[in-house]
Amino acid sequence: LYAGVITRPESQQWFAQSLPKFAAAYDYTAIMAMPYMENEQPLSRKEAARWLGKLVAEVKRSNVPLDKTVFELQAVNWRTKQPVPAEEMTDWMTLLKKEGVKNLAYYPDNFLQDQPPLKTVKPAFSVQR
């Protein structure tokens, strides 16, 4: 599901997507939680984290249970064609978990180049952290 469908409800018609309808029809709904892709203007690291916080707030406002969502983070900033630093991704994961998000994913996974570095992101997937 495109994040814009959640943050800009008028776009539901353009994409024929709706978080509540997807959540009712599927076990899980993956949300493309990709701040560097969704915004027209380049974001700073701080603005990207703030954007993710707003996205979670909108999902909560929708009354769709967070345990029925998967927040899919971006591992590459496609505007700059550079990997998102693993430390930034783990900060995003920590922020999302503090907000009650249980299911996390990232894309793309370049396991051949160890990007993002598994030793850095793997501990952030734990609910114990």
Side-chain angles (χ1 to χ4, degrees), residues 60-96:
K60 288 178 178 179
R61 222 179 331 275
S62 76
N63 292 320
V64 169
L66 286 176
D67 63 354
K68 288 196 56 118
T69 63
V70 178
F71 280 69
E72 181 187 8
L73 302 170
Q74 66 188 110
V76 171
N77 181 335
W78 289 282
R79 291 179 192 273
T80 64
K81 299 183 178 31
Q82 296 297 309
V84 172
E87 294 77 16
E88 184 172 10
M89 286 183 59
T90 58
D91 286 349
W92 291 347
M93 292 176 190
T94 300
L95 177 147
L96 292 169

Short mmCIF file of all heavy atoms in Angstrom, two decimals, residues 60-96:
data_model
loop_
_atom_site.label_atom_id
_atom_site.label_comp_id
_atom_site.label_asym_id
_atom_site.label_seq_id
_atom_site.Cartn_x
_atom_site.Cartn_y
_atom_site.Cartn_z
N LYS A 60 -2.85 4.79 13.09
CA LYS A 60 -3.59 4.65 14.35
C LYS A 60 -4.96 5.32 14.24
O LYS A 60 -5.95 4.79 14.72
CB LYS A 60 -2.80 5.27 15.50
CG LYS A 60 -1.58 4.47 15.91
CD LYS A 60 -0.84 5.19 17.02
CE LYS A 60 0.36 4.42 17.50
NZ LYS A 60 1.10 5.13 18.55
N ARG A 61 -5.00 6.49 13.62
CA ARG A 61 -6.26 7.22 13.46
C ARG A 61 -7.26 6.45 12.60
O ARG A 61 -8.46 6.61 12.73
CB ARG A 61 -5.98 8.60 12.84
CG ARG A 61 -6.76 9.70 13.47
CD ARG A 61 -6.51 11.09 12.93
NE ARG A 61 -5.23 11.44 12.38
CZ ARG A 61 -4.18 11.86 13.09
NH1 ARG A 61 -4.23 11.97 14.39
NH2 ARG A 61 -3.05 12.19 12.48
N SER A 62 -6.75 5.57 11.72
CA SER A 62 -7.63 4.79 10.84
C SER A 62 -8.36 3.66 11.57
O SER A 62 -9.25 3.05 11.01
CB SER A 62 -6.81 4.19 9.69
OG SER A 62 -6.06 3.07 10.15
N ASN A 63 -7.93 3.39 12.80
CA ASN A 63 -8.47 2.30 13.62
C ASN A 63 -8.12 0.92 13.08
O ASN A 63 -8.71 -0.07 13.52
CB ASN A 63 -9.98 2.43 13.82
CG ASN A 63 -10.32 3.63 14.69
OD1 ASN A 63 -9.64 3.89 15.67
ND2 ASN A 63 -11.34 4.36 14.31
N VAL A 64 -7.19 0.83 12.15
CA VAL A 64 -6.68 -0.46 11.72
C VAL A 64 -5.64 -0.89 12.76
O VAL A 64 -4.72 -0.13 13.07
CB VAL A 64 -6.04 -0.38 10.31
CG1 VAL A 64 -5.28 -1.65 9.98
CG2 VAL A 64 -7.11 -0.09 9.27
N PRO A 65 -5.78 -2.07 13.34
CA PRO A 65 -4.81 -2.51 14.34
C PRO A 65 -3.39 -2.56 13.77
O PRO A 65 -3.18 -3.07 12.67
CB PRO A 65 -5.29 -3.91 14.73
CG PRO A 65 -6.72 -3.97 14.29
CD PRO A 65 -6.82 -3.06 13.10
N LEU A 66 -2.44 -2.04 14.53
CA LEU A 66 -1.05 -2.03 14.07
C LEU A 66 -0.53 -3.44 13.82
O LEU A 66 0.35 -3.64 12.98
CB LEU A 66 -0.15 -1.31 15.07
CG LEU A 66 -0.27 0.21 15.08
CD1 LEU A 66 0.60 0.80 16.19
CD2 LEU A 66 0.10 0.80 13.73
N ASP A 67 -1.07 -4.44 14.54
CA ASP A 67 -0.57 -5.80 14.32
C ASP A 67 -1.06 -6.40 13.00
O ASP A 67 -0.65 -7.49 12.63
CB ASP A 67 -0.88 -6.71 15.51
CG ASP A 67 -2.36 -6.90 15.77
OD1 ASP A 67 -3.20 -6.24 15.11
OD2 ASP A 67 -2.69 -7.72 16.65
N LYS A 68 -1.90 -5.69 12.27
CA LYS A 68 -2.33 -6.13 10.94
C LYS A 68 -1.54 -5.40 9.84
O LYS A 68 -1.85 -5.54 8.66
CB LYS A 68 -3.83 -5.89 10.75
CG LYS A 68 -4.67 -6.87 11.57
CD LYS A 68 -6.10 -6.91 11.11
CE LYS A 68 -6.22 -7.25 9.68
NZ LYS A 68 -6.92 -8.44 9.31
N THR A 69 -0.54 -4.61 10.25
CA THR A 69 0.26 -3.86 9.27
C THR A 69 1.71 -4.31 9.31
O THR A 69 2.19 -4.81 10.32
CB THR A 69 0.21 -2.35 9.55
OG1 THR A 69 0.80 -2.08 10.82
CG2 THR A 69 -1.22 -1.81 9.50
N VAL A 70 2.38 -4.11 8.19
CA VAL A 70 3.83 -4.31 8.08
C VAL A 70 4.38 -3.00 7.53
O VAL A 70 3.96 -2.55 6.46
CB VAL A 70 4.19 -5.46 7.11
CG1 VAL A 70 5.70 -5.60 6.99
CG2 VAL A 70 3.54 -6.77 7.55
N PHE A 71 5.27 -2.38 8.27
CA PHE A 71 5.89 -1.14 7.80
C PHE A 71 7.16 -1.51 7.03
O PHE A 71 8.12 -2.02 7.62
CB PHE A 71 6.20 -0.22 8.98
CG PHE A 71 5.00 0.54 9.46
CD1 PHE A 71 3.95 -0.10 10.10
CD2 PHE A 71 4.90 1.91 9.26
CE1 PHE A 71 2.84 0.58 10.53
CE2 PHE A 71 3.79 2.62 9.68
CZ PHE A 71 2.75 1.95 10.32
N GLU A 72 7.10 -1.30 5.73
CA GLU A 72 8.22 -1.65 4.85
C GLU A 72 9.08 -0.41 4.64
O GLU A 72 8.67 0.55 3.99
CB GLU A 72 7.69 -2.17 3.51
CG GLU A 72 8.78 -2.56 2.56
CD GLU A 72 8.25 -2.91 1.18
OE1 GLU A 72 7.05 -2.71 0.91
OE2 GLU A 72 9.06 -3.37 0.37
N LEU A 73 10.28 -0.45 5.19
CA LEU A 73 11.22 0.67 5.11
C LEU A 73 12.07 0.57 3.86
O LEU A 73 12.30 -0.52 3.35
CB LEU A 73 12.11 0.69 6.35
CG LEU A 73 11.36 0.79 7.68
CD1 LEU A 73 12.31 0.55 8.84
CD2 LEU A 73 10.68 2.15 7.79
N GLN A 74 12.57 1.70 3.42
CA GLN A 74 13.43 1.69 2.25
C GLN A 74 14.89 1.55 2.68
O GLN A 74 15.35 2.20 3.61
CB GLN A 74 13.24 2.95 1.41
CG GLN A 74 13.66 4.24 2.06
CD GLN A 74 13.27 5.44 1.23
OE1 GLN A 74 12.40 6.18 1.61
NE2 GLN A 74 13.92 5.63 0.10
N ALA A 75 15.61 0.67 2.01
CA ALA A 75 17.03 0.46 2.28
C ALA A 75 17.89 1.27 1.32
O ALA A 75 19.10 1.36 1.50
CB ALA A 75 17.39 -1.01 2.18
N VAL A 76 17.25 1.86 0.30
CA VAL A 76 17.95 2.68 -0.69
C VAL A 76 17.19 3.98 -0.85
O VAL A 76 15.96 3.99 -0.90
CB VAL A 76 18.04 1.95 -2.05
CG1 VAL A 76 18.56 2.86 -3.15
CG2 VAL A 76 18.92 0.71 -1.94
N ASN A 77 17.92 5.07 -0.92
CA ASN A 77 17.33 6.35 -1.28
C ASN A 77 17.42 6.44 -2.79
O ASN A 77 18.49 6.68 -3.34
CB ASN A 77 18.08 7.49 -0.60
CG ASN A 77 17.49 8.85 -0.90
OD1 ASN A 77 16.83 9.04 -1.93
ND2 ASN A 77 17.72 9.80 -0.02
N TRP A 78 16.30 6.19 -3.48
CA TRP A 78 16.34 6.13 -4.93
C TRP A 78 16.61 7.48 -5.58
O TRP A 78 17.04 7.54 -6.72
CB TRP A 78 15.05 5.51 -5.48
CG TRP A 78 14.99 4.05 -5.18
CD1 TRP A 78 15.66 3.07 -5.87
CD2 TRP A 78 14.30 3.39 -4.14
NE1 TRP A 78 15.40 1.84 -5.31
CE2 TRP A 78 14.55 2.01 -4.24
CE3 TRP A 78 13.46 3.82 -3.12
CZ2 TRP A 78 14.03 1.07 -3.38
CZ3 TRP A 78 12.93 2.88 -2.25
CH2 TRP A 78 13.21 1.52 -2.39
N ARG A 79 16.40 8.57 -4.86
CA ARG A 79 16.72 9.90 -5.40
C ARG A 79 18.23 10.08 -5.55
O ARG A 79 18.70 10.61 -6.53
CB ARG A 79 16.15 11.00 -4.52
CG ARG A 79 14.64 11.08 -4.55
CD ARG A 79 14.17 12.20 -3.62
NE ARG A 79 12.76 12.15 -3.39
CZ ARG A 79 11.87 12.74 -4.17
NH1 ARG A 79 12.25 13.42 -5.22
NH2 ARG A 79 10.59 12.64 -3.89
N THR A 80 18.96 9.65 -4.51
CA THR A 80 20.41 9.80 -4.52
C THR A 80 21.12 8.55 -5.02
O THR A 80 22.32 8.57 -5.24
CB THR A 80 20.94 10.12 -3.11
OG1 THR A 80 20.66 9.01 -2.24
CG2 THR A 80 20.30 11.40 -2.55
N LYS A 81 20.36 7.45 -5.14
CA LYS A 81 20.90 6.14 -5.54
C LYS A 81 21.93 5.62 -4.53
O LYS A 81 22.82 4.85 -4.88
CB LYS A 81 21.48 6.20 -6.95
CG LYS A 81 20.43 6.56 -7.99
CD LYS A 81 20.99 6.54 -9.37
CE LYS A 81 20.03 6.85 -10.46
NZ LYS A 81 18.94 7.71 -10.29
N GLN A 82 21.76 6.03 -3.28
CA GLN A 82 22.66 5.61 -2.21
C GLN A 82 21.89 4.79 -1.18
O GLN A 82 20.70 5.02 -0.96
CB GLN A 82 23.26 6.84 -1.51
CG GLN A 82 24.14 7.70 -2.38
CD GLN A 82 25.36 6.93 -2.87
OE1 GLN A 82 26.08 6.31 -2.08
NE2 GLN A 82 25.58 6.96 -4.17
N PRO A 83 22.57 3.85 -0.53
CA PRO A 83 21.91 3.10 0.54
C PRO A 83 21.54 4.04 1.69
O PRO A 83 22.26 5.00 1.97
CB PRO A 83 22.97 2.11 1.01
CG PRO A 83 24.02 2.09 -0.05
CD PRO A 83 23.95 3.39 -0.76
N VAL A 84 20.42 3.77 2.32
CA VAL A 84 20.08 4.48 3.55
C VAL A 84 21.01 3.90 4.61
O VAL A 84 21.13 2.68 4.73
CB VAL A 84 18.60 4.24 3.93
CG1 VAL A 84 18.30 4.81 5.30
CG2 VAL A 84 17.67 4.85 2.88
N PRO A 85 21.71 4.76 5.35
CA PRO A 85 22.62 4.23 6.38
C PRO A 85 21.90 3.29 7.34
O PRO A 85 20.77 3.57 7.77
CB PRO A 85 23.12 5.49 7.10
CG PRO A 85 22.96 6.59 6.09
CD PRO A 85 21.73 6.23 5.30
N ALA A 86 22.53 2.18 7.64
CA ALA A 86 21.92 1.17 8.51
C ALA A 86 21.55 1.76 9.86
O ALA A 86 20.51 1.41 10.43
CB ALA A 86 22.87 -0.01 8.68
N GLU A 87 22.34 2.68 10.37
CA GLU A 87 22.04 3.31 11.65
C GLU A 87 20.74 4.12 11.56
O GLU A 87 19.96 4.16 12.51
CB GLU A 87 23.20 4.20 12.11
CG GLU A 87 24.47 3.45 12.42
CD GLU A 87 25.25 3.03 11.16
OE1 GLU A 87 24.99 3.55 10.06
OE2 GLU A 87 26.11 2.14 11.30
N GLU A 88 20.50 4.75 10.43
CA GLU A 88 19.27 5.49 10.25
C GLU A 88 18.08 4.52 10.19
O GLU A 88 17.04 4.77 10.81
CB GLU A 88 19.32 6.34 8.98
CG GLU A 88 18.09 7.20 8.79
CD GLU A 88 18.20 8.18 7.64
OE1 GLU A 88 19.16 8.10 6.84
OE2 GLU A 88 17.31 9.03 7.53
N MET A 89 18.25 3.42 9.48
CA MET A 89 17.17 2.42 9.42
C MET A 89 16.85 1.88 10.81
O MET A 89 15.69 1.72 11.16
CB MET A 89 17.55 1.28 8.48
CG MET A 89 17.48 1.65 7.02
SD MET A 89 17.86 0.25 5.96
CE MET A 89 16.61 -0.92 6.42
N THR A 90 17.88 1.61 11.61
CA THR A 90 17.62 1.08 12.95
C THR A 90 16.96 2.15 13.83
O THR A 90 16.12 1.82 14.67
CB THR A 90 18.89 0.51 13.62
OG1 THR A 90 19.89 1.54 13.70
CG2 THR A 90 19.42 -0.68 12.85
N ASP A 91 17.31 3.41 13.62
CA ASP A 91 16.61 4.49 14.34
C ASP A 91 15.13 4.50 13.96
O ASP A 91 14.25 4.68 14.81
CB ASP A 91 17.23 5.85 14.04
CG ASP A 91 18.57 6.06 14.71
OD1 ASP A 91 18.95 5.26 15.60
OD2 ASP A 91 19.26 7.04 14.35
N TRP A 92 14.85 4.31 12.67
CA TRP A 92 13.45 4.26 12.22
C TRP A 92 12.72 3.09 12.89
O TRP A 92 11.59 3.22 13.34
CB TRP A 92 13.37 4.08 10.71
CG TRP A 92 13.81 5.23 9.88
CD1 TRP A 92 14.06 6.52 10.29
CD2 TRP A 92 14.05 5.22 8.48
NE1 TRP A 92 14.44 7.29 9.21
CE2 TRP A 92 14.44 6.52 8.10
CE3 TRP A 92 13.99 4.23 7.50
CZ2 TRP A 92 14.75 6.86 6.78
CZ3 TRP A 92 14.30 4.57 6.19
CH2 TRP A 92 14.67 5.87 5.83
N MET A 93 13.39 1.93 12.93
CA MET A 93 12.77 0.74 13.54
C MET A 93 12.48 0.99 15.01
O MET A 93 11.40 0.62 15.51
CB MET A 93 13.68 -0.47 13.38
CG MET A 93 13.82 -0.95 11.96
SD MET A 93 15.01 -2.31 11.87
CE MET A 93 15.21 -2.46 10.11
N THR A 94 13.40 1.62 15.71
CA THR A 94 13.20 1.92 17.13
C THR A 94 12.03 2.87 17.30
O THR A 94 11.16 2.65 18.17
CB THR A 94 14.49 2.53 17.72
OG1 THR A 94 15.55 1.58 17.57
CG2 THR A 94 14.32 2.89 19.18
N LEU A 95 11.95 3.90 16.49
CA LEU A 95 10.84 4.85 16.55
C LEU A 95 9.51 4.14 16.32
O LEU A 95 8.55 4.33 17.08
CB LEU A 95 11.05 5.95 15.49
CG LEU A 95 9.98 7.00 15.34
CD1 LEU A 95 10.61 8.33 14.96
CD2 LEU A 95 8.95 6.62 14.29
N LEU A 96 9.45 3.31 15.30
CA LEU A 96 8.21 2.61 14.97
C LEU A 96 7.80 1.66 16.09
O LEU A 96 6.62 1.58 16.44
CB LEU A 96 8.35 1.88 13.63
CG LEU A 96 8.48 2.79 12.41
CD1 LEU A 96 8.89 1.99 11.18
CD2 LEU A 96 7.20 3.57 12.17
#
